[in-house]
Amino acid sequence: MTQPLAPGSLAGRTALVTGSSRGIGADTARYLAEAGANVVINYRNKAPRAEKLATELRGLGVEVLVVGADLTDADSVQAMFDAVRDAFGSLDVLVLNASGGMEAGMGEDYALQLNRDAQVRVLETALPLLSEGARVVFVTSHQAHFIRTTPTMPEYEPVALSKRAGEDALRERIPALAERGIEFVVVSGDMIEGTITATLLERANPGAIASRRESAGKLYNVQEFAAEVARAALEPVPDDNTRLVGDTGSFAGE
């Protein structure tokens, strides 16, 4: 993989990436570690995979903490940040990557619990550890970011609406974060090839990924999009607090 951040550019800093035992979260954690950051790997139920990634990243010479936490459970989230405080004392980068809502067998309001309520809970619980100069990155999709103006596939609409609700709830906190010297940026990407969400969408709507690829001209893969998320942790925050990745030509402006 190409390193999106200069080696050592995050040396001495600590980053937590939610949902980082696999996929975009894992590659984001890897890029941050390659840039010198100590990393907190969060997982819900993939402990062996998380530990395997931790072993790899420790080989880069950084410290790695692995913490299992259900982000929809307040006590679990608090325990995670207590562990971060005990291990590192503070946190410089918080990447809100974990999301979902298409899983089978979850409650009717699970998407909203995870993609809105849990995102706000994680940020608020992390605040005592985030000092001046810290950066919060929220990861979303164009299908969610533009859902108010551009319809998406019916199979994805509940997730898109819940993720947009989460984005809105987090954006409301930008002034309060700014008062504390904490920066906030949204990273929005098109459908990402190779993700669980893309797989589930393709299963529910065969041909959906190929159709979107043809329309956009190119879809990012997991590693490519993770590189953009990693860059968002360090590069200057755009004026509108939004980093759009990939084609947006078929999405109407907000």
Side-chain angles (χ1 to χ4, degrees):
M1 294 188 294
T2 302
Q3 170 57 266
L5 299 174
S9 57
L10 289 175
R13 302 191 199 182
T14 299
L16 186 154
V17 183
T18 62
S20 48
S21 66
R22 62 181 177 182
I24 293 166
D27 277 344
T28 299
R30 186 176 287 111
Y31 285 132
L32 297 176
E34 288 176 351
N38 298 318
V39 174
V40 182
I41 298 171
N42 158 251
Y43 69 94
R44 186 180 66 181
N45 54 16
K46 302 291 183 187
R49 193 176 297 181
E51 292 291 353
K52 181 179 179 181
L53 176 62
T55 298
E56 175 194 338
L57 300 190
R58 290 183 184 116
L60 299 172
V62 301
E63 294 182 52
V64 182
L65 176 67
V66 178
V67 186
D70 178 353
L71 303 186
T72 65
D73 179 83
D75 291 341
S76 186
V77 171
Q78 184 63 61
M80 175 171 70
F81 285 108
D82 288 346
V84 174
R85 179 186 288 106
D86 291 344
F88 299 112
S90 62
L91 192 61
D92 302 288
V93 177
L94 173 63
V95 180
L96 299 171
N97 164 74
S99 65
M102 294 190 69
E103 301 89 340
M106 307 304 285
E108 185 177 342
D109 63 345
Y110 178 70
L112 205 55
Q113 286 184 32
L114 177 59
N115 297 330
R116 183 193 64 187
D117 302 346
Q119 307 302 318
V120 173
R121 177 184 298 111
V122 169
L123 174 58
E124 292 183 342
T125 310
L127 273 179
L129 297 178
L130 295 170
S131 55
E132 185 173 355
R135 177 78 59 89
V136 178
V137 181
F138 176 67
V139 182
T140 189
S141 66
H142 292 348
Q143 288 74 20
H145 180 69
F146 293 103
I147 188 61
R148 291 197 294 249
T149 57
T150 306
T152 189
M153 289 175 285
E155 298 85 358
Y156 189 65
E157 184 173 320
V159 176
L161 289 169
S162 66
K163 284 185 68 66
R164 182 66 221 203
E167 179 181 337
D168 292 342
L170 292 168
R171 283 182 181 276
E172 289 175 1
R173 286 156 174 78
I174 290 177
L177 292 173
E179 286 183 4
R180 303 174 68 132
I182 300 170
E183 296 179 312
F184 175 84
V185 60
V186 171
V187 182
S188 177
D190 207 331
M191 288 184 186
I192 308 300
E193 304 234 33
T195 61
I196 298 298
T197 297
T199 299
L200 292 173
L201 280 173
E202 185 68 21
R203 188 176 301 160
N205 189 349
I209 303 303
S211 176
R212 181 60 201 150
R213 187 189 306 115
E214 182 178 355
S215 175
K218 168 188 168 58
L219 293 180
Y220 280 61
N221 63 30
V222 169
Q223 293 179 354
E224 291 169 333
F225 185 62
E228 296 295 333
V229 176
R231 290 187 181 100
L234 189 60
E235 293 182 354
V237 176
D239 290 340
D240 61 355
N241 298 88
T242 309
R243 188 182 183 106
L244 298 174
V245 180
D247 177 69
T248 59
S250 59
F251 296 92
E254 292 187 81

